[in-house]
Amino acid sequence: MSVAACLFGVPGSTLNLGVGALRAATVGAFLARVPDARMTVFDDGWGERQGTAYVHGQPVPITLAGARHSRRYHRPESYVNMRVSAALGGLGNHGVGAIDSADVVLDVSGGDSFSDIYGEHRFRTVAWPKKLSLLRKRKLVLLPQTYGPFKIPRIRAEAHGLARGAAMAWARDPDSYAALRELLGADFDPRRHREGVDVAFGLEPRAPEGPAFDQLASWFAAADGPVMGINVSGLMSRAEGIAQFRLAGDGGRVARQICERVLDEPDTRVIIVPHVLAAGGTDDDTATSEALRADLAAKYGDRIAITPRGLDPHQTKWVISRTAWFCGMRMHATIAALSSAVPAAILAYSLKARGVFATVGQERHVADARTLGDDELLDTLWKSWSNRSAAAAELAERVPVAVRRAGEQMDEIVALARSRA
């Protein structure tokens, strides 16, 4: 039986490798189970285009369609245009058509954007596809994600209605599941409202190709000592990010300090892994990562490397999987490590980190930059590095369970898509 599916909540996936991991893992897992499925991924592009996903390392075609919370109401990609077109029978709007023909609409809200913590515009962006799906009476599945926090009562009420209307709503960790239960209150239904794991636990690593592979393989093979991986958030390293999230610690300074401390041990090396690649943007990791590499290379030379440009989420996970310990500021950079059974720590700016790390019993490796100063953050990271062998043993037991759960939740979602109920 042919199945059609739509995926929302993954805009900017080529620039944000965390969002890209959500997209790649979801599409890859769905198509692995339904190879002939018609998959439409909504992104922030224009019009309909052909895209590519990878299933077991092989490229497969998918459809890309633009969808935007935009004031260009005349554009068919505008959610307002889609809403009006739907009310008037479709009017040939390709986005409405894709929703109407879908057996299931999947929505991941960027993993953590079903909240007003990032402002009302971001919430509206993730709320629109949910509203459209329910309006068109499609089976809406909220993929494993974070719920809340909600500070604005009317937004909280709207979020409650959207979660209540979903055919399934999955939380990605115990803390998120508690938040979902609290959001729904008397409408909570354990048959539909479920605790799962972040879909990126099921993302397949894939080796880079061509010069990128040659460069990375040569560097990893050049010495036998442990390699530390690090992801440095451009936002958390800038004054505006520190102010936005009311951080007590300076992530950029602490990142440099933990690198120096590790590199002062014999036979160690560090590879820097940018995860948000929006050149010139306030959230960009590239410039911050390049500056860190330059600072460290002045003293440590070629013991410092940085991932080449152009790697996709599968390939980035392949790099991270080859490290002995990983320190991240981006959630999905650390999920790439944890799901590869690589010991990891995170410099966190929100509650979401603790819950995801708790999925595999690693919450003690969360260094909360909202409450800890630089010295305390560095101490937490150093303890994590020093105790990486114990963490690796724990992950060897826990990660296969999490990966299996990622597969089982997709089995249930595919079964719902195939159901005619």
Side-chain angles (χ1 to χ4, degrees):
M1 179 176 65
S2 178
V3 172
C6 294
L7 173 62
F8 282 96
V10 288
S13 57
T14 58
L15 300 178
N16 185 320
L17 294 178
V19 176
L22 292 171
R23 169 176 147 176
T26 299
V27 176
F30 197 97
L31 292 178
R33 289 158 174 78
V34 193
D36 62 347
R38 289 175 288 119
M39 175 65 70
T40 300
V41 175
F42 285 84
D43 63 7
D44 49 3
W46 300 104
E48 283 191 320
R49 291 148 285 125
Q50 182 171 310
T52 300
Y54 286 88
V55 180
H56 304 314
Q58 298 302 310
V60 296
I62 59 173
T63 298
L64 303 177
R68 294 170 175 246
H69 180 32
S70 168
R71 292 183 178 179
R72 297 182 182 182
Y73 304 134
H74 65 287
R75 294 286 316 188
E77 297 86 1
S78 163
Y79 283 126
V80 172
N81 187 300
M82 292 169 72
R83 173 68 178 87
V84 172
S85 296
L88 298 177
L91 297 181
N93 186 294
H94 57 78
V96 175
I99 294 172
D100 283 351
S101 66
D103 296 292
V104 66
V105 176
L106 311 175
D107 192 320
V108 72
S109 308
D112 68 349
S113 294
F114 197 29
S115 167
D116 58 19
I117 188 175
Y118 300 111
E120 185 166 351
H121 186 274
R122 176 88 72 91
F123 175 78
R124 295 293 164 209
T125 299
V126 302
W128 262 116
K130 300 172 180 60
K131 291 193 290 187
L132 285 168
S133 301
L134 296 177
L135 174 71
R136 305 306 287 175
K137 294 180 170 51
R138 298 294 88 194
K139 288 180 284 192
L140 171 65
V141 174
L142 304 185
L143 294 172
Q145 58 191 273
T146 300
Y147 295 87
F150 298 103
K151 299 178 181 179
I152 304 172
R154 59 183 169 79
I155 289 183
R156 179 182 176 82
E158 184 175 345
H160 171 273
L162 295 172
R164 181 186 61 203
M168 278 185 175
W170 292 81
R172 67 179 179 182
D173 57 70
D175 289 354
S176 298
Y177 189 55
L180 175 62
R181 181 190 291 267
E182 196 270 337
L183 173 66
L184 287 165
D187 292 316
F188 179 81
D189 180 353
R191 295 170 299 178
R192 296 188 298 122
H193 306 131
R194 310 287 295 280
E195 181 184 339
V197 299
D198 192 289
V199 295
F201 271 90
L203 180 68
E204 298 175 346
R206 181 171 59 87
E209 300 170 351
F213 175 79
D214 295 339
Q215 174 187 337
L216 289 164
S218 175
W219 186 83
F220 274 108
D224 295 329
V227 173
M228 166 189 163
I230 189 165
N231 156 251
V232 186
S233 163
L235 185 59
M236 283 183 68
S237 303
R238 293 187 176 95
E240 53 265 50
I242 293 172
Q244 177 182 346
F245 297 111
R246 299 181 181 178
L247 304 182
D250 183 332
R253 181 182 299 121
V254 173
R256 186 180 68 254
Q257 290 173 333
I258 188 61
C259 289
E260 290 171 340
R261 196 161 179 180
V262 167
L263 287 164
D264 284 339
E265 291 198 328
D267 302 322
T268 53
R269 292 181 295 158
V270 170
I271 187 164
I272 303 167
V273 185
H275 225 243
V276 173
L277 312 172
T282 58
D283 201 26
D284 174 52
D285 294 352
T286 308
T288 304
S289 298
E290 291 284 4
L292 177 62
R293 185 202 62 80
D295 286 347
L296 295 172
K299 180 177 179 181
Y300 301 104
D302 60 7
R303 293 170 63 194
I304 306 299
I306 190 168
T307 51
R309 297 177 185 271
L311 300 188
D312 68 20
H314 300 277
Q315 296 165 333
T316 302
K317 183 171 182 176
W318 178 87
V319 174
I320 292 172
S321 72
R322 301 196 64 176
T323 63
W325 179 77
F326 191 82
C327 175
M329 297 186 195
R330 304 286 185 184
M331 173 60 67
H332 278 93
T334 58
I335 290 176
L338 294 174
S339 61
S340 303
V342 171
I346 186 169
L347 279 164
Y349 65 86
S350 76
L351 286 171
K352 65 182 180 180
R354 200 203 75 86
V356 170
F357 270 61
T359 300
V360 286
Q362 301 299 299
E363 55 266 43
R364 68 187 182 280
H365 297 279
V366 175
D368 193 338
R370 298 170 305 161
T371 59
L372 301 179
D374 291 3
D375 291 344
E376 295 167 303
L377 290 171
L378 180 60
D379 183 59
T380 301
L381 298 182
W382 181 250
K383 286 179 180 176
S384 180
W385 161 263
S386 301
N387 295 307
R388 63 189 184 279
S389 294
E394 294 171 354
L395 290 170
E397 293 184 3
R398 292 175 178 266
V399 168
V401 176
V403 172
R404 184 173 68 248
R405 289 178 65 193
E408 290 170 349
Q409 69 196 15
M410 186 55 72
D411 290 340
E412 292 194 48
I413 291 167
V414 167
L416 176 69
R418 284 175 161 154
S419 169
R420 295 305 180 189

